[in-house]
Amino acid sequence: MTSSAAPDATPDGQPGTGLRIDAERNRDRILAAARRLYATEGLGVSMAAVAREAGVGKATLSRRFATREDLITAVFADRMDAYAEAVTTALANPDPWHGFTDYIYAVCAMQAADRGFADVLTMTFPAAKALEARRTESYNGFLELIARAKDTGHLRHDFTSQDLVILLMANAGVINATGDAAPDTWQRLVAYMLRSYATPAAPISPLPDAPAPAALYRAMIRLSRVRSDNL
């Protein structure tokens, strides 16, 4: 009696096209689900929640992404590329001070567009080598941007790269607190912080409008509910 290959296997015993397509489809579903959840809820979302959102089992998720860091790296690879490119664009600006301020706004806008990325920029993931390599690349470019902006006399001499980390932490907090209730509040925070970094001679853009009192009140109610839910 002769035996035939299984429908989903090739003659050499390797998985066939059907299994490969299913595996790729599951991977795409997992990534899409993780992007949705991370963007709206931040990185606190559990792997189990991602599996439920994707409509796959935990075992399937683990086969595609063995660790949380693996999933985060895959989800935010394109955003980390954009993060690295932002400093390259800033360094190409013929006006180093405007390159510096444009970079600050660009990075903070990336945070505002995605709560998960807001968290990524204020955390470290030692096991996620590719993600951390892009972060290091961006950091080194930012050091050069700082030096150039100081040479113009417009950036305070005591500004350090740690001040950007502090700003990103503060911005992430504002974004998470205000949510959809007052989504543009971060812009006023960033504008005020840029004023604190500037020397008296630096050209400063006008302050964005403050959020309406009613919008901030809604944000405060929202934040209270979120904290109550977490108790």
Side-chain angles (χ1 to χ4, degrees):
M1 178 182 295
T2 59
S3 61
S4 59
D8 287 320
T10 59
D12 62 1
Q14 296 301 312
T17 301
L19 287 179
R20 289 198 300 271
I21 291 174
D22 286 344
E24 189 63 27
R25 184 182 298 117
N26 284 336
R27 185 179 189 278
D28 291 344
R29 290 169 64 184
I30 291 166
L31 287 175
R35 286 191 183 101
R36 287 194 299 271
L37 292 176
Y38 289 156
T40 58
E41 301 180 31
L43 296 187
V45 174
S46 68
M47 295 287 275
V50 172
R52 286 194 301 271
E53 178 75 9
V56 302
K58 293 181 182 178
T60 298
L61 175 59
S62 296
R63 281 195 297 272
R64 303 280 77 79
F65 302 99
T67 67
R68 175 172 172 265
E69 286 77 12
D70 290 340
L71 180 58
I72 289 172
T73 298
V75 168
F76 293 106
D78 58 341
R79 288 165 177 77
M80 288 304 293
D81 287 344
Y83 180 54
E85 289 167 6
V87 76
T88 300
T89 299
L91 288 169
N93 193 315
D95 184 324
W97 168 247
H98 286 135
F100 173 84
T101 57
D102 288 351
Y103 175 74
I104 297 293
Y105 271 116
V107 172
C108 290
M110 290 179 195
Q111 284 188 299
D114 188 321
R115 282 185 60 188
F117 195 58
D119 291 340
V120 166
L121 291 184
T122 57
M123 301 168 67
T124 59
F125 304 90
K129 302 300 183 184
L131 187 151
E132 291 302 320
R134 292 301 260 167
R135 191 198 304 276
T136 299
E137 178 184 341
S138 299
Y139 174 75
N140 290 334
F142 185 58
L143 292 179
E144 183 178 352
L145 190 61
I146 290 172
R148 291 185 184 185
K150 286 182 177 179
D151 286 344
T152 67
H154 294 154
L155 179 63
R156 290 173 54 128
H157 70 88
D158 53 358
F159 179 90
T160 72
S161 60
Q162 295 95 308
D163 291 316
L164 175 61
V165 178
I166 294 169
L167 172 58
L168 293 178
M169 288 179 173
N171 195 45
V174 169
I175 291 165
N176 290 331
T178 54
D180 294 336
D184 296 330
T185 304
W186 68 271
Q187 296 182 23
R188 192 166 174 91
L189 167 70
V190 173
Y192 267 120
M193 293 306 297
L194 284 174
R195 279 166 165 68
S196 74
Y197 305 153
T199 65
I204 298 295
S205 300
L207 273 175
D209 292 338
L216 276 185
Y217 181 70
R218 288 194 298 272
M220 292 167 67
I221 292 175
R222 174 188 174 279
L223 185 59
S224 296
R225 289 173 177 167
V226 169
R227 289 178 174 171
S228 295
D229 290 343
N230 290 333
L231 293 178

